[in-house]
């Protein structure tokens, strides 16, 4: 379908063309990954919106793309090189390694595109972008240079989040804050045995010049391996326990060096002993405190997680967690260990490697975020950028009010190499530090260096920064680069009115924040005017999707179906450790003992969109998708019935010329127009659950369950009346067009089978056919008729209930309706034939007001003014049915007694109990009435002329 759709859109102006533009870009997924159900929800919603706009006549652009995922991709290729060739990255040159990465990307990086196509995403594939392609590289370099020239990007030495396993700085969003209740054993990369965390170690710092055990300050620490980096001990200035020690010095428990005891109001006197050690090179809070007191930091943990030379020979080169145990032993030997206890804490974990994050003092490139962050916060506050649902605005404002400078350096090879150059000689006079220059090219950088140093550029030696930029830097530029920036500056408000993200993913909200900051700074525009944050998809038990839980599902497995053995093989091929693999495997066997049945793309899309995507989390089960598949089958069978009824010679009329000639036809067309109105309302509000509900109700409960059943006797008459056929065609045509944005495959297949309109006026594909609007179908709307027919449907339910009560499976009993309201009597008279058909009854009649009811007929009230009577004489054996009803009553009474015996509870459980009690009492009342009727029937022997 992609090629015809593109051909129509690009080369032919649609009859319904509006001249408006609607564009979105897909949040670029990592090239190393695969889409999960959360991604599938994003795609399903975005594609439905795109298809709706396209059918409405808007010019649509939906930009696909993927992110180069610096850390993840490099790790995958390094692992593959070691597995296949026994080669480490540093055994290759940078150029050789990058060739291997590009080779991997071309061979195995297309899985996401396959998944998107399987989901039916109608993306503009000829506009597909990759964050490492030429256009993106130009945009990244230009952005870096412009930010540097604006004074918003600088090189400095600061604490950064550091992953020792990756040997690289990582982003704040890649740091997982893991709460620990107390002592917790963790397996970490590079450690042969588990490491304990959640423990508070108490250490004594002796007061210099004061002998005796009382002359010490005890501090607590959860990181004893950082003790060699301590430069002071701090207490609160108002803490009376330490007032006498103000200005004194303490002896370091390991080195014996003198450390100042300082006072600072940031210290919390009621936590622990009220005294804290100050380690500015490995703690952000300590770095701020040390800066206030002009204390110099000591870096004691190296990039690879080993201890540095500043720790002394006895610790240098040891892994930091091995050094921890050695330090603890030394404290015990020196008599300065004061105890250890459980301590709840939050541990920073690298989400990429699983290692504990270290805070290291590094010279890196940073983006000043305060000014740009203020503009992003103001954009939401002023309404220029709308976050939907609105409760996300609070999180947005909080994030930007606490934003710090953004470290954009990454110590990787795969990524955009930073366009900054170190001048190796010829610094400017008086320059005490390194001389760095920034340029779009080396030639530009050399020219700038010449101006700074006063020497000819050809005589200078420039060394390019080997680091690459944070992947989020290029991802934040993705919407702009995709439209040609910086060569072109598109009207972003026109091109990106909307962005769609998963609300449960902090990563995506983080991405939006970076886009808004860079977009407003570099282009003077917001990248879009609204952000639509949909729900996080969880499993049927409400658990977050996690590989270790075995509940992460590839959308293709739901679409095509998959055996349990294949699901288990995927787990084994993953990167779970043995413990996680055992848990995940057992969970899969429990959740999918027979695998996953084939559900189809349309069923998956419809099930995902049927939830209120703008509310809380979305719990999805495969059984829901299977239910949507059954709905698809219902639509298929309905169209097969309609096509058979229309025949080969049928010629459809335009919708505006179709006029109903019967009340049933008028009712279904009114319902169809109402459905179009609801769909339009749902699309405008971006609330697709309104649309799925309206479509499900129309196709299943209006068309299939009611109208098609009601017109079957009409269609059996010969010759066929023309009006039911035109109405049937209208229901199929309009109904499928309403359905097309959500179920594109089913709608296209069935719509193409409909009889063609005269003079070839039909669109070549349903995806470019006009979407039905409330205005275009307004002439069919008859709300009063719909209200009247709801009374008929109540009568149908009453008749079916009577049939069920008396177990009339095949018999077609006579039925009489009686109403004391003349208007209501006329209402039923107009629908007597369909009422009999839908109620599965025989001859239908009206009993005049005031006339006595026939003796022995079953009775059911429809309202205070209307009764329905059903003939039982000759159709029911009273004696047999009385015994059956008695058995049923005994069973229901037992259930009622059991519920009554329960102790009343509170909340939802009590509400459900009360609802069940009411239901049982109503059923018992109906049974008692049926027993009464049967006894009357036994007593009465009505003659044939009684009526």
């Amino acid at each position: 379908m992609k090629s015809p759709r593109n051909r129509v859109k690009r080369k032919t102006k649609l009859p319904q063309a509006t001249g408006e533009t609607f564009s979105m870009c897909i949040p670029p997924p990592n090239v190393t990954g695969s889409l999960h159900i959360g991604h599938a929800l994003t795609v399903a919603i975005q594609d439905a919106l795109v298809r709706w706009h396209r059918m409405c006549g808007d010019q649509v652009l939906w930009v696909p793309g993927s992110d180069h995922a610096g850390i993840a991709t490099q790790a995958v290729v390094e692992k593959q090189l070691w597995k296949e060739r026994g080669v480490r990255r540093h055994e290759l040159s940078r150029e050789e390694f990058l060739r291997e990465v590009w080779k991997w990307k071309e061979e195995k990086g297309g899985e996401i595109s396959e998944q998107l196509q399987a989901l039916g995403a109608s993306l503009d594939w000829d506009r597909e972008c990759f964050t490492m392609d030429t256009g993106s590289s130009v945009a990244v370099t230009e952005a870096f240079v412009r930010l540097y020239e604006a004074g918003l990007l600088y090189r400095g030495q600061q604490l950064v989040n550091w992953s020792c396993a990756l040997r690289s700085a990582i982003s704040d969003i890649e740091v997982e804050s893991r709460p620990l209740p107390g002592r917790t054993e963790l397996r970490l990369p590079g450690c042969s045995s588990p490491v304990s965390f959640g423990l508070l170690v108490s250490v004594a710092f002796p007061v210099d010049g004061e002998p005796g055990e009382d002359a010490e300050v005890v501090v607590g620490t959860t990181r004893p391996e950082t003790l060699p980096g301590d430069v002071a001990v701090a207490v609160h200035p108002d803490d009376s326990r330490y007032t006498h020690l103000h200005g004194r010095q303490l002896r370091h428990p390991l080195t014996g060096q003198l450390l100042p005891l300082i006072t600072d109001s940031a210290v919390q006197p009621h936590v622990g002993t009220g005294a804290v050690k100050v380690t500015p090179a490995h703690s952000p809070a300590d770095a701020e405190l040390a800066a206030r007191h002009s204390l110099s930091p000591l870096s004691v943990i190296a990039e690879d997680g080993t201890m540095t030379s500043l720790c002394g020979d006895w610790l240098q080169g040891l892994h930091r967690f091995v050094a921890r145990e050695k330090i603890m032993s030394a404290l015990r030997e020196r008599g300065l260990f004061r105890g250890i206890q459980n301590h709840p804490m939050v541990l920073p974990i690298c989400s990429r490697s699983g290692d504990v994050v270290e805070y290291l003092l590094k010279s890196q490139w940073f983006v000043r975020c305060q000014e740009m962050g203020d503009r992003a916060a103001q954009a939401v506050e002023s309404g220029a950028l709308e976050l939907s649902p609105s409760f996300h605005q609070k999180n947005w404002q909080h994030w930007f009010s606490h934003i710090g400078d953004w470290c954009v350096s990454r110590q990787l090879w795969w990524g955009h190499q930073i366009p900054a150059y170190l001048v190796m000689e010829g610094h400017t006079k008086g320059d005490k530090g390194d001389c760095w220059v920034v340029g779009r090219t080396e030639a530009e950088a050399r020219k700038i260096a010449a101006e700074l140093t006063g020497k000819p550029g050809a005589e200078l030696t420039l060394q390019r920064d080997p680091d690459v930029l944070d992947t989020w830097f290029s991802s934040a530029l993705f919407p702009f680069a995709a439209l040609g920036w910086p060569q072109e500056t598109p009207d972003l408000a026109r091109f990106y009115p909307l962005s769609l993200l998963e609300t449960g993913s902090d990563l995506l909200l983080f991405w939006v924040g970076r886009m808004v900051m860079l977009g407003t700074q570099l282009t003077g525009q917001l990248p879009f005017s609204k952000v639509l944050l949909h729900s996080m998809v969880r499993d049927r038990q409400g658990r977050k999707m996690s590989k270790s839980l075995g509940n992460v599902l590839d959308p293709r497995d739901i679409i095509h179906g998959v055996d349990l053995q294949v699901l288990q093989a995927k787990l084994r091929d993953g990167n779970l450790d043995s413990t996680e693999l055992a848990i995940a495997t057992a969970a899969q066997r429990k959740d999918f003992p027979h695998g996953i049945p084939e559900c189809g793309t349309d069923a998956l899309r419809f099930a995902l969109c049927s939830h209120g995507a703008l509310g809380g989390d979305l719990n999805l089960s495969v059984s829901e998708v299977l239910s949507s598949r059954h709905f698809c089958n219902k639509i298929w069978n309905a169209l097969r019935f309609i096509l058979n009824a229309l025949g080969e010679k049928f010629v459809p009329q335009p919708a505006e010329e179709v006029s109903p000639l019967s009340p049933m036809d008028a009712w279904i067309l009114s319902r169809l127009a109402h459905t179009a109105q609801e769909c339009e309302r749902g699309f405008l509000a971006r609330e697709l659950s309104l649309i799925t509900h309206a479509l499900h109700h129309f196709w299943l409960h209006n068309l299939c369950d009611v109208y098609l059943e009601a017109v079957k006797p009409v269609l059996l008459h010969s010759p066929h009346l023309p009006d039911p056929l035109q109405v049937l065609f209208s229901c199929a045509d309009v109904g499928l067009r309403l359905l097309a944005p959500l179920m594109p495959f089913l709608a296209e297949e069935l719509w193409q089978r409909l009889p063609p309109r005269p003079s070839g006026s039909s669109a070549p594909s349903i995806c470019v056919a006009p979407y039905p609007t409330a205005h275009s179908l307004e002439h069919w709307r008859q709300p009063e008729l719909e209200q009247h027919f709801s009374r008929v449907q109540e009568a149908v339910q009453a008749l079916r209930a009577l049939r069920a009560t008396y177990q009339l499976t095949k018999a077609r009993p006579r039925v009489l309706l009686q109403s004391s309201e003349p208007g209501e009597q006329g209402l039923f008279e107009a629908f007597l034939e369909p009422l009999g058909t839908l109620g599965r009854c025989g001859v239908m009649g009206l009993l005049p007001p005031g006339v006595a009811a026939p003796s022995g007929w079953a009775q059911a009230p429809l309202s205070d003014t209307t009764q329905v009577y059903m003939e039982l004489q000759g159709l029911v054996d009273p004696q047999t049915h009385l015994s059956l009803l008695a058995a049923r009553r005994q069973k229901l009474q037992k259930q009622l007694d059991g519920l009554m015996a329960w102790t009343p509870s509170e909340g939802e459980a009590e509400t459900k109990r009360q609802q069940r009690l009411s239901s049982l009492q109503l059923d018992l009342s109906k049974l008692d009435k049926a027993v009464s009727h049967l006894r009357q029937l036994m007593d009465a022997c009505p003659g044939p002329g009684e009526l």
Side-chain angles (χ1 to χ4, degrees):
M1 274 172 21
K2 180 180 69 172
S3 297
R5 191 262 305 158
N6 283 340
R7 193 160 56 243
V8 169
K9 185 185 73 171
R10 297 182 189 283
K11 297 186 178 181
T12 305
K13 187 174 182 180
L14 299 177
Q16 71 271 26
T18 63
E20 297 294 324
T21 297
F22 180 80
S23 298
M24 288 192 296
C25 70
I26 195 169
N30 288 352
V31 70
T32 55
S34 60
L35 303 183
H36 52 63
I37 295 299
H39 293 116
L41 175 59
T42 302
V43 171
I45 297 175
Q46 279 197 325
D47 191 57
L49 293 173
V50 160
R51 288 178 180 272
W52 177 67
H53 278 278
R54 190 179 292 124
M55 293 177 73
C56 288
D58 295 342
Q59 184 181 357
V60 172
L61 174 66
W62 188 17
V63 181
S66 56
D67 186 88
H68 65 274
I71 293 174
T73 304
Q74 181 161 310
V76 167
V77 176
E78 286 193 71
K79 184 178 180 181
Q80 178 177 288
L81 284 172
W82 177 250
K83 182 178 180 180
E84 296 179 356
R85 294 165 49 186
V87 174
R88 300 291 188 190
R89 169 168 61 103
H90 289 284
E91 296 176 47
L92 303 174
S93 69
R94 184 172 188 144
E95 291 70 24
E96 288 172 331
F97 178 75
L98 291 179
R99 280 197 294 270
E100 292 294 331
V101 179
W102 279 107
K103 180 181 175 183
W104 176 90
K105 191 265 179 185
E106 297 304 320
E107 291 177 354
K108 300 182 179 179
E111 184 177 6
I112 288 173
S113 294
E114 295 174 9
Q115 289 179 300
L116 289 170
Q117 290 170 14
L119 286 166
S122 56
L123 289 147
D124 289 82
W125 290 104
D126 55 349
R127 300 293 293 268
E128 186 173 11
C129 300
F130 179 51
T131 55
M132 280 290 286
D133 61 22
T134 303
S136 182
S137 295
V138 171
V140 167
T141 299
E142 183 67 25
F144 191 94
V145 172
R146 290 194 190 183
L147 290 172
Y148 180 78
E149 291 175 345
L152 294 173
L153 197 148
Y154 66 95
R155 186 173 178 86
Q157 189 180 56
Q158 296 183 29
L159 281 183
V160 299
N161 305 316
W162 188 267
S163 170
C164 297
L166 299 173
R167 298 197 188 184
S168 175
I170 59 174
S171 170
D172 290 343
I173 202 67
E174 290 160 339
V175 178
E176 172 196 340
S177 297
R178 185 176 302 178
L180 304 179
R183 185 186 180 101
T184 305
E185 304 285 327
L186 297 178
R187 289 193 173 275
L188 302 174
C191 298
S192 57
S193 58
V195 181
S196 297
F197 294 92
L199 296 171
L200 186 69
V201 177
S202 297
V203 182
F205 285 68
V207 178
D208 183 47
E210 294 286 340
E213 293 185 1
D214 293 336
E216 65 183 25
V217 174
V218 177
V219 302
T221 178
T222 60
R223 299 294 308 276
E225 62 272 19
T226 63
L227 275 168
D230 292 349
V231 297
V233 170
V235 297
H236 194 279
D238 299 332
D239 192 335
S240 59
R241 292 171 295 178
Y242 302 108
T243 303
H244 66 291
L245 295 177
H246 288 186
R248 300 292 297 272
Q249 290 190 314
L250 310 177
R251 288 284 177 184
H252 193 288
L254 296 178
T255 66
Q257 294 178 333
L258 293 177
L259 305 180
L261 182 108
I262 60 176
T263 59
D264 196 285
S265 58
V267 178
Q268 300 178 31
H270 304 296
V271 176
T273 63
V276 296
K277 68 190 199 70
V278 182
T279 320
H282 301 286
S283 164
D286 288 4
E288 293 181 9
L289 190 153
R292 291 194 292 270
H293 298 272
S294 302
L295 297 172
S296 299
L298 293 176
S299 295
V300 296
I301 297 177
E303 294 179 357
D304 61 355
T306 61
M307 307 304 286
T308 69
S309 59
L310 293 178
C311 302
D313 294 341
W314 69 295
L315 292 177
Q316 182 180 357
L318 288 179
H319 191 284
R320 64 197 188 280
F321 297 129
V322 174
R324 172 192 289 186
E325 299 305 318
K326 198 168 184 178
I327 288 171
M328 297 273 284
S329 297
L331 291 172
R332 288 186 173 95
E333 291 172 3
R334 300 177 188 190
L336 298 175
F337 177 78
R338 294 293 179 263
I340 187 169
Q341 63 188 37
N342 279 345
H343 181 71
M345 63 178 292
V346 176
L347 190 68
I349 299 290
C350 172
S351 63
R352 302 294 187 184
S353 66
D355 198 6
V356 173
V357 172
E358 294 294 340
Y359 300 104
L360 300 188
L361 199 59
K362 305 293 291 182
S363 292
Q364 308 274 272
W365 292 97
F366 294 87
V367 174
R368 302 185 198 275
C369 292
Q370 188 62 56
E371 180 183 336
M372 292 187 288
D374 288 344
R375 284 202 296 265
Q378 178 60 30
V380 170
E381 190 173 338
S382 67
L385 173 61
E386 180 184 350
L387 299 180
S388 182
S390 59
F391 61 78
H392 291 292
Q393 294 180 12
K394 183 177 180 180
N395 295 335
W396 179 272
Q397 300 292 10
H398 175 80
W399 187 53
F400 279 110
S401 64
H402 293 82
I403 195 169
D405 287 355
W406 172 16
C407 173
V408 292
S409 296
R410 296 294 178 269
Q411 290 62 46
L412 305 170
W413 282 357
W414 174 242
H416 294 282
Q417 191 172 354
I418 293 175
Y421 300 81
L422 176 63
V423 182
M424 302 304 293
E425 73 282 303
H427 293 189
T428 56
K429 187 176 181 180
D431 188 6
K432 298 180 180 179
D434 293 336
C435 178
W436 287 89
V437 292
V438 171
R440 296 169 181 83
T441 63
E442 183 176 336
E444 182 176 291
R446 189 173 296 278
K447 181 179 179 181
I448 296 171
E451 294 173 355
L452 285 174
T453 62
K455 293 188 176 183
E459 297 179 7
L460 297 174
T461 300
L462 301 185
Q463 180 177 305
R464 187 170 183 177
D465 191 334
D467 292 349
V468 300
L469 284 164
D470 181 9
T471 301
W472 294 104
F473 193 89
S474 54
S475 295
L477 296 172
F478 177 81
F480 320 114
L483 295 181
W485 188 87
Q487 289 86 350
E488 302 174 23
T489 302
D491 182 352
L492 296 176
R494 176 172 178 262
F495 273 97
Y496 294 127
L498 172 72
S499 183
L500 178 73
L501 305 164
E502 183 178 4
T503 186
S505 175
D506 291 336
L507 292 176
L508 289 175
L509 191 58
F510 183 84
W511 177 61
V512 173
R514 298 307 193 204
M515 276 196 295
V516 170
M517 287 198 307
L518 295 187
T520 53
Q521 175 62 35
L522 297 171
T523 70
Q525 307 175 63
L526 287 168
F528 30 70
S529 57
K530 187 171 183 177
V531 183
L532 182 66
L533 297 123
H534 70 67
S535 306
M536 172 183 278
V537 182
R538 297 179 178 269
D539 68 10
R540 62 186 177 87
Q541 300 175 46
R543 300 176 303 175
K544 188 175 180 179
M545 300 289 187
S546 167
K547 291 180 181 177
S548 60
L549 293 176
N551 60 356
V552 173
L553 295 176
D554 184 333
R556 292 171 299 184
D557 290 340
I558 300 177
I559 292 170
H560 304 300
V562 65
D563 294 333
L564 175 62
Q565 292 80 0
V566 176
L567 287 173
Q568 305 260 279
K570 288 185 178 182
L571 285 178
R572 291 191 294 271
D573 292 341
N575 58 358
L576 299 179
D577 61 37
S578 57
T579 302
E580 291 175 327
L581 180 61
I583 294 172
T585 302
Q588 269 192 351
R589 280 197 299 266
K590 181 180 179 182
D591 291 341
F592 312 110
H594 307 294
I596 299 175
E598 179 182 1
C599 296
T601 299
D602 288 332
L604 175 58
R605 290 167 58 116
F606 198 84
L608 287 168
C609 293
S610 65
H611 290 264
L614 301 186
D617 292 344
L618 184 161
N619 296 354
L620 183 76
S621 65
V622 173
S623 60
E624 282 184 75
V625 187
L626 203 56
S627 177
S628 292
R629 177 189 169 185
H630 296 154
F631 176 52
C632 292
N633 292 340
K634 195 77 172 179
I635 296 172
W636 182 277
N637 291 331
L639 261 292
R640 187 169 62 177
F641 172 83
I642 291 173
L643 290 171
N644 183 61
L646 296 179
E648 297 180 358
K649 298 181 180 181
F650 175 79
V651 178
Q653 297 176 351
E656 59 271 15
E657 296 179 13
V658 175
S659 298
L661 298 180
S662 74
M664 278 307 301
D665 293 342
W667 174 78
I668 193 63
L669 290 178
S670 182
R671 291 303 304 160
L672 182 57
H674 173 76
T675 303
Q677 182 181 23
E678 287 297 288
C679 290
E680 187 174 279
R681 185 167 71 93
F683 275 120
L684 290 172
R686 322 283 202 223
E687 185 53 88
L688 300 194
S689 60
L690 297 176
I691 304 166
T692 56
H693 175 77
L695 289 170
H696 187 271
H697 190 78
F698 172 76
W699 278 97
L700 195 61
H701 302 299
N702 295 158
L703 185 63
C704 293
D705 290 352
V706 178
Y707 183 73
L708 294 186
E709 293 299 321
V711 300
K712 282 179 181 178
V714 178
L715 294 173
L716 290 174
H717 297 163
S718 183
H720 288 170
L721 297 175
D723 54 298
L725 299 186
Q726 292 295 342
V727 170
L728 282 172
F729 176 84
S730 296
C731 288
D733 172 43
V734 176
L736 288 174
R737 283 189 281 139
L738 289 171
L739 191 67
L742 294 152
M743 290 187 169
F745 292 104
L746 179 67
E748 184 73 53
E749 177 66 28
L750 294 175
W751 193 76
Q752 294 291 349
R753 299 184 182 204
L754 290 177
R757 295 186 182 276
S759 70
S761 58
S762 295
S765 168
I766 196 171
C767 65
V768 290
Y771 196 81
T773 64
H775 176 73
S776 66
L777 304 180
E778 191 175 5
H779 62 287
W780 285 345
R781 284 289 280 131
Q782 297 190 47
E784 187 176 359
L785 176 67
E786 290 185 36
Q787 188 176 1
H788 289 169
F789 190 71
S790 65
R791 298 285 291 127
V792 176
Q793 288 179 293
E794 291 173 9
V796 170
Q797 294 303 318
L799 292 174
R800 291 181 178 179
L802 282 175
R803 288 177 57 84
T805 299
Y806 296 101
Q807 299 183 346
L808 300 176
T809 55
K810 295 182 180 180
R812 300 286 175 172
R814 289 186 295 167
V815 171
L816 292 173
L817 285 100
Q818 185 182 52
S819 177
S820 59
E821 294 289 337
E824 201 165 58
Q825 192 94 340
L827 182 158
F828 287 114
E829 187 172 12
F831 288 100
L832 279 181
E833 184 174 352
L835 179 55
T837 301
L838 297 171
R840 303 186 187 107
C841 299
V843 177
M844 298 289 300
L846 295 173
L847 191 65
V851 176
S855 176
W857 284 40
Q859 176 189 2
L862 294 183
S863 66
D864 294 339
T865 59
T866 305
Q867 303 286 327
V868 61
Y869 301 96
M870 179 179 289
E871 182 184 28
L872 299 180
Q873 186 71 37
L875 303 176
V876 174
D877 179 0
Q879 198 67 44
T880 303
H881 275 75
L882 279 172
S883 60
L884 291 173
L885 291 178
R888 286 170 61 189
R889 194 190 192 290
Q890 184 178 6
K891 182 179 179 180
L892 291 177
Q893 186 64 50
K894 186 177 181 180
Q895 294 179 25
L896 181 65
D897 293 342
L899 277 177
M900 293 290 287
W902 282 11
T903 303
S905 56
E906 295 181 359
E908 186 178 349
E910 177 61 18
T911 301
K912 289 182 177 179
R913 189 180 82 95
Q914 292 295 336
Q915 290 173 345
R916 180 59 179 155
L917 282 172
S918 299
S919 177
L920 287 171
Q921 289 166 345
L922 181 60
D923 290 343
L924 285 169
S925 174
K926 290 179 180 178
L927 282 179
D928 291 341
K929 191 172 292 186
V931 168
S932 175
H933 289 150
L934 287 172
R935 286 176 176 162
Q936 290 178 23
L937 192 62
M938 290 176 65
D939 296 338
C941 297
E946 183 173 334
L947 294 178

